[in-house]
Amino acid sequence: MTDQDKILSEVTQGEYKYGFFSDIETDIIDRGLSEDVIRIISEKKNEPDFMLEFRLNAYRKWLKMKMPNWAYLKVPPIDFQDISYYAAPRKKPQYESLDEVDPELLETFNKLGIPLEEQKHLAGVAVDAVLDSVSVKTTFREVLAEQGIIFCSFSDALQNHPDLVRKYLGQSVPVADNFFAALNSAVFSDGSFCYIPKGVRCPMELSTYFRINSANTGQFERTLIIADDDSYVSYLEGCTAPMRDENQLHAAVVEIIALDRAEVKYSTVQNWYPGDKNGKGGIYNFVTKRGVCRGVSSKISWTQVETGSAITWKYPSCILLGDNSVGEFNSVAVTNNHQQADTGSKMIHIGKNTKSTIISKGISAGKSNNSYRGLVKVMPGATNSRNFSQCDSLLLNDTCGAHTFPYIEVGNKSSIVEHEATTSKIGEDQIFYCNQRGIDTEKAIGMIVNGYAKEVLNKLPMEFAVEAQKLLQISLEGSVG
Amino acid sequence: MLSIKDLYVSIDGNEILKGINLEVKPGEIHAIMGPNGSGKSTLANVLAGKEEFEVTQGEVTYMGEDLLEMAPEDRATSGLFLSFQYPVEIPGVPMVNFLKTAVNQHRIARGEKELTAGEFLKLMREKKEMIDMDTQLTNRSVNEGFSGGEKKKNEIFQMALLEPKLAILDETDSGLDIDALKTVAHGVNALKTPNNATIIITHYQRLLDYIIPDHVHVLYKGRMVKSGGRELALELEEKGYDWVKQENALQ
Ligand SMILES: Nc1ncnc2c1ncn2[C@@H]1O[C@H](COP(=O)(O)OP(=O)(O)OP(=O)(O)O)[C@@H](O)[C@H]1O
Ligand SMILES: [Mg+2]
């Protein structure tokens, strides 16, 4: 190994920066999964009957399903009976002010660099903070309520807007869509709900911070976003989790529905605990995210920066049902050490003149594996449709892997589908050039990687873009700070 | 300032430099000439700290320190600058960010305050004028899509920004048109002080009409086979390298 390689491997094997554990008292039910457990969850949450039926239906279907094995991932066996399916902060909080919030919780947010106190004042960002499985704090709800916007925890939505939930839940991601979506549908704990009424442009970015915080507690978040005719919303999701030895399962579902001429932007920065240098620990992240452009000329765009998790299995997708609807997927996925990611997108063109774009930037370091998997499917009736896909991979050394699995099906002659892919290795000459100008190797890699991912980072809302840039640097340079 | 003693360098087991000796004092300009493949760029890169070259013997002292022990970025921030024969492209990294980071890393190393964006832009404007640099170039990614001549000019622009103590210009003149050559030479001369030194690697006497060297050396097959004053360059121009080669064969 040359010295250059040594530096590269040193700086790319940094420890996880946000590793810590806070011990807010939690109320955990016994491990294991059965119809009884599901009934308990539903009862504890005081859910309407249709919700219990939904869960039980999903559970019965899940029992007959098998874990998918087609991804380019090595997944250790998961014992689904060894997981506790419900955890909630013991003191169900209903705070008037921050003074009443558990100081430990505030401390946790401080360590993450997202003090609620400041967030309140942060222009344009409402924060619905989810710790473990139950929402503990919702801000800006009133400001939003004036416009008729509903932004609350999923549980609250079930209490206060059951008809809306009932109408749209499972529309984008049917209960038996896949193994993990079925599991989520059966046991999901909480998450966010968002409804933008007709003709309303949401005046601020809506954001949610998720954290995993209880030992052996699987996380099953459920998010449902509905944008009614002619509305617009930009939604931000950011995650970071404490250092942990045991693996933790995370199987979230996000559903988006865009009606006529509505637009939804969904941005994610995912930074779950990736495991240590030797591949011990880390989150298993099996996520189903899907948006349906149900209305004409509607638009859904997914933007993600994925740096965390030991295993990532995630394909944010768009079903372009309405004529002239538009789907976008912009992704930066970083894998380091022993991380594995199999991620990409599905664009299903059903309506006429539908358009989709996929931009995927994979960055691999250490001994990690990073795969892009994408499906572009143009149905026979989706005449004059277009897709453009660009999938680039950047390798930081010779020990990591990058793979591309594009699947393309075009059902008519008037549509055009283009796919471009490149693989490049970070050049030692580029790093040396930076060194020669006084820039050390860590900074040089950060700069080059951010340059490479710029096209996607530029799609993020400003405040998120800065955070994401730092994150890219941290996840590759590690030891910094 | 720079003292090279009996330097041997190999790459992949091939010996490329075979006992180089060179003394550079503050205020001096040295020219190194020599046929293709003689090891000029190798010498420049070894001095800048490129890892893949292996120093098998010899020592290099720079400003009283063991240069070979220093990390490449520390060599840079202590004033050693290399104008690359083939500057690399770094797609996606804006010139302005790159240059600002470089300048500030130098300032941090000297214990000075970092420049703000405004201060940096002002500095950049000054230096651009000095070497007649196209304003548009700094809005692009580092060297990306630059023409051969633009890349060379960009190297001198960076040199102007970083104000090195010892600048090594590796064939900075090749690829420059005659006007650019003059402005580059003008820049090098303008940056000259009694405290800094320059090593110019070139194939052409022409550049030395504009930048007058104190010493001229001929590198051949990894050895400094001839040293002299300015007139040596003229002699080489007239007689070509065959003359040196023959003389070397006789020895
Ligand atoms: N990475 C490398 N691997 C193998 N050989 C190399 C490498 N780099 C340089 N060499 C060899 O070392 C010798 C000296 O090369 P160098 O680039 O120093 O020559 P130069 O004097 O700068 O030539 P020119 O005038 O053409 O620029 C050449 O024979 C070259 O092929
Ligand atoms: Mg050369």
Side-chain angles (χ1 to χ4, degrees):
Chain A
M1 201 154 67
T2 67
D3 280 1
Q4 182 85 69
D5 283 341
K6 271 185 219 148
I7 298 174
L8 258 175
S9 65
E10 269 167 30
V11 302
T12 55
Q13 284 171 16
E15 299 286 345
Y16 183 66
K17 209 186 166 202
Y18 294 130
F20 57 88
F21 175 67
S22 80
D23 57 359
I24 291 173
E25 296 171 68
T26 43
D27 168 18
I28 300 178
I29 62 171
D30 285 344
R31 292 167 194 218
L33 185 53
S34 64
E35 291 208 1
D36 285 345
V37 167
I38 289 166
R39 283 177 208 281
I40 292 171
I41 293 172
S42 195
E43 193 182 327
K44 268 180 182 282
K45 298 168 78 68
N46 191 27
E47 290 179 347
D49 289 345
F50 83 86
M51 201 61 250
L52 178 63
E53 283 313 309
F54 181 93
R55 289 178 182 278
L56 289 173
N57 177 27
Y59 175 68
R60 286 166 196 148
K61 287 187 167 143
W62 177 76
L63 281 176
K64 293 186 201 124
M65 297 170 87
K66 282 207 168 63
M67 227 173 99
N69 63 359
W70 40 260
Y72 197 84
L73 299 170
K74 284 197 191 98
V75 185
I78 298 170
D79 182 353
F80 291 94
Q81 294 303 332
D82 194 33
I83 292 171
S84 166
Y85 288 88
Y86 182 78
R90 201 164 274 160
K91 299 167 247 165
K92 173 92 177 149
Q94 288 298 327
Y95 303 119
E96 295 294 315
S97 78
L98 282 174
D99 305 341
E100 295 169 43
V101 178
D102 190 337
E104 185 115 4
L105 176 61
L106 291 180
E107 183 56 33
T108 302
F109 283 121
N110 284 332
K111 281 189 208 163
L112 283 168
I114 44 159
L116 273 182
E117 203 118 44
E118 279 176 34
Q119 302 249 353
K120 265 187 161 179
H121 302 291
L122 259 181
V125 181
V127 175
D128 174 35
V130 178
L131 185 85
D132 270 22
S133 313
V134 168
S135 302
V136 283
K137 187 80 193 166
T138 306
T139 48
F140 283 93
R141 202 186 293 180
E142 281 165 34
V143 181
L144 297 171
E146 278 169 26
Q147 309 233 22
I149 295 170
I150 304 166
F151 178 43
C152 61
S153 71
F154 203 95
S155 314
D156 285 353
L158 272 176
Q159 301 305 319
N160 304 325
H161 312 281
D163 294 344
L164 270 179
V165 176
R166 185 174 196 168
K167 184 166 173 198
Y168 291 107
L169 184 68
Q171 295 288 306
S172 301
V173 181
V175 285
D177 184 80
N178 67 69
F179 182 83
F180 293 103
L183 180 63
N184 176 290
S185 299
V187 302
F188 72 86
S189 36
D190 209 339
S192 297
F193 177 85
C194 175
Y195 172 79
I196 315 290
K198 283 192 171 72
V200 171
R201 266 190 84 84
C202 184
M204 56 182 83
E205 317 267 3
L206 300 183
S207 84
T208 319
Y209 283 87
F210 297 94
R211 281 171 54 71
I212 292 183
N213 205 20
S214 280
N216 272 344
T217 304
Q219 281 281 301
F220 305 96
E221 305 284 350
R222 186 95 192 184
T223 299
L224 177 56
I225 298 170
I226 303 142
D228 215 326
D229 297 350
D230 301 290
S231 67
Y232 167 85
V233 65
S234 167
Y235 191 95
L236 318 181
E237 173 205 324
C239 317
T240 155
M243 176 105 59
R244 183 60 47 82
D245 260 349
E246 282 159 276
N247 290 302
Q248 287 187 300
L249 177 64
H250 181 82
V253 171
V254 175
E255 295 185 278
I256 299 177
I257 288 160
L259 300 180
D260 287 350
R261 297 167 301 277
E263 179 176 353
V264 179
K265 273 190 191 173
Y266 192 102
S267 313
T268 311
V269 171
Q270 186 269 120
N271 187 26
W272 302 106
Y273 178 51
D276 69 10
K277 277 184 202 174
N278 304 315
K280 192 162 185 287
I283 303 296
Y284 295 178
N285 197 21
F286 295 89
V287 189
T288 306
K289 288 185 168 174
R290 191 172 307 143
V292 181
C293 283
R294 178 142 6 127
V296 297
S297 304
S298 55
K299 179 175 176 182
I300 293 177
S301 55
W302 300 98
T303 302
Q304 61 174 26
V305 175
E306 303 276 323
T307 59
S309 296
I311 295 173
T312 301
W313 180 98
K314 182 177 176 187
Y315 316 91
S317 307
C318 297
I319 297 177
L320 305 171
L321 201 59
D323 290 349
N324 304 308
S325 59
V326 178
E328 265 183 28
F329 173 73
N330 307 294
S331 167
V332 177
V334 178
T335 54
N336 197 356
N337 298 317
H338 292 267
Q339 279 176 279
Q340 309 176 63
D342 193 298
T343 183
S345 182
K346 282 190 267 184
M347 294 290 173
I348 314 293
H349 295 253
I350 301 171
K352 293 180 177 57
N353 308 315
T354 45
K355 254 193 234 157
S356 65
T357 314
I358 293 175
I359 297 180
S360 161
K361 303 269 182 178
I363 301 166
S364 339
K367 296 190 169 66
S368 67
N369 261 307
N370 201 330
S371 305
Y372 165 82
R373 184 182 305 276
L375 168 67
V376 176
K377 186 170 186 168
V378 180
M379 305 300 277
T383 49
N384 293 311
S385 293
R386 294 202 58 132
N387 162 270
F388 174 74
S389 304
Q390 170 85 45
C391 305
D392 298 329
S393 310
L394 183 69
L395 305 170
L396 265 62
N397 61 21
D398 296 324
T399 54
C400 57
H403 319 274
T404 309
F405 305 100
Y407 305 90
I408 298 169
E409 297 168 29
V410 187
N412 65 58
K413 288 211 167 76
S414 57
S415 296
I416 302 170
V417 173
E418 288 173 90
H419 177 89
E420 287 177 11
T422 67
T423 300
S424 49
K425 201 189 154 199
I426 203 163
E428 287 182 3
D429 286 347
Q430 291 174 327
I431 293 174
F432 181 62
Y433 191 79
C434 296
N435 289 159
Q436 215 305 302
R437 299 302 185 245
I439 301 165
D440 66 31
T441 301
E442 284 196 18
K443 274 210 177 58
I445 291 174
M447 218 155 71
I448 295 167
V449 162
N450 272 305
Y452 166 79
K454 195 164 66 178
E455 207 179 335
V456 171
L457 297 179
N458 282 346
K459 307 261 180 190
L460 291 171
M462 257 308 272
E463 61 270 37
F464 233 34
V466 175
E467 201 176 301
Q469 269 187 19
K470 283 190 200 143
L471 198 57
L472 282 193
Q473 201 145 337
I474 288 169
S475 45
L476 290 167
E477 298 171 1
S479 49
V480 176
Chain B
M1 170 170 272
L2 179 75
S3 166
I4 304 175
K5 292 212 174 81
D6 202 27
L7 183 69
Y8 283 76
V9 172
S10 345
I11 182 156
D12 301 334
N14 298 321
E15 198 159 74
I16 296 169
L17 298 182
K18 302 161 185 167
I20 302 282
N21 289 288
L22 184 67
E23 289 287 332
V24 179
K25 296 198 180 66
E28 288 183 343
I29 294 179
H30 289 246
I32 298 178
M33 306 180 80
N36 293 133
S38 57
K40 303 180 298 295
S41 294
T42 303
L43 178 61
N45 278 294
V46 167
L47 294 177
K50 190 146 171 100
E51 299 278 353
E52 61 201 57
F53 295 105
E54 193 194 348
V55 175
T56 52
Q57 198 182 313
E59 54 189 67
V60 182
T61 320
Y62 169 68
M63 315 245 298
E65 288 196 58
D66 182 352
L67 184 74
L68 302 177
E69 283 299 304
M70 293 165 77
E73 63 271 23
D74 296 335
R75 301 181 195 201
T77 52
S78 51
L80 190 148
F81 179 89
L82 171 61
S83 167
F84 287 85
Q85 182 174 4
Y86 304 110
V88 296
E89 306 193 354
I90 312 181
V93 177
M95 277 296 295
V96 181
N97 290 9
F98 176 79
L99 296 172
K100 183 163 172 273
T101 311
V103 166
N104 279 333
Q105 289 307 116
H106 278 70
R107 294 181 66 91
I108 290 167
R110 292 195 297 259
E112 295 167 11
K113 229 176 93 244
E114 289 182 54
L115 293 184
T116 63
E119 288 164 340
F120 175 74
L121 289 176
K122 188 162 162 277
L123 177 71
M124 204 167 77
R125 232 174 291 131
E126 277 167 28
K127 303 294 183 183
K128 263 185 193 165
E129 261 169 42
M130 179 173 170
I131 63 139
D132 196 21
M133 173 93 170
D134 184 351
T135 334
Q136 292 305 313
L137 287 180
T138 46
N139 294 334
R140 300 185 12 201
S141 295
V142 178
N143 290 322
E144 198 183 24
F146 286 25
S147 75
E150 284 168 343
K151 283 183 184 165
K152 295 302 176 75
K153 237 175 151 175
N154 189 27
E155 294 292 293
I156 296 304
F157 175 54
Q158 294 177 51
M159 172 176 145
L161 277 170
L162 298 173
E163 300 185 331
K165 295 203 174 70
L166 174 66
I168 304 165
L169 312 184
D170 190 358
E171 297 199 23
T172 305
D173 53 338
S174 46
L176 288 181
D177 64 43
I178 196 74
D179 291 342
L181 185 76
K182 281 185 195 163
T183 37
V184 162
H186 169 75
V188 172
N189 287 326
L191 290 166
K192 195 181 161 183
T193 74
N195 300 320
N196 61 21
T198 311
I199 298 174
I200 296 171
I201 295 169
T202 182
H203 285 293
Y204 307 105
Q205 141 67 22
R206 194 183 54 184
L207 177 67
L208 305 177
D209 284 340
Y210 300 105
I211 308 173
I212 314 289
D214 302 296
H215 302 274
V216 177
H217 313 272
V218 180
L219 188 64
Y220 178 59
K221 288 194 175 166
R223 291 193 179 87
M224 293 288 200
V225 293
K226 218 167 173 54
S227 288
R230 192 188 165 193
E231 66 290 345
L232 180 56
L234 292 166
E235 210 173 339
L236 281 171
E237 175 103 323
E238 205 178 304
K239 301 185 185 168
Y241 288 115
D242 278 349
W243 159 63
V244 180
K245 289 177 189 171
Q246 278 160 15
E247 218 171 72
N248 199 53
L250 287 176
Q251 279 173 8

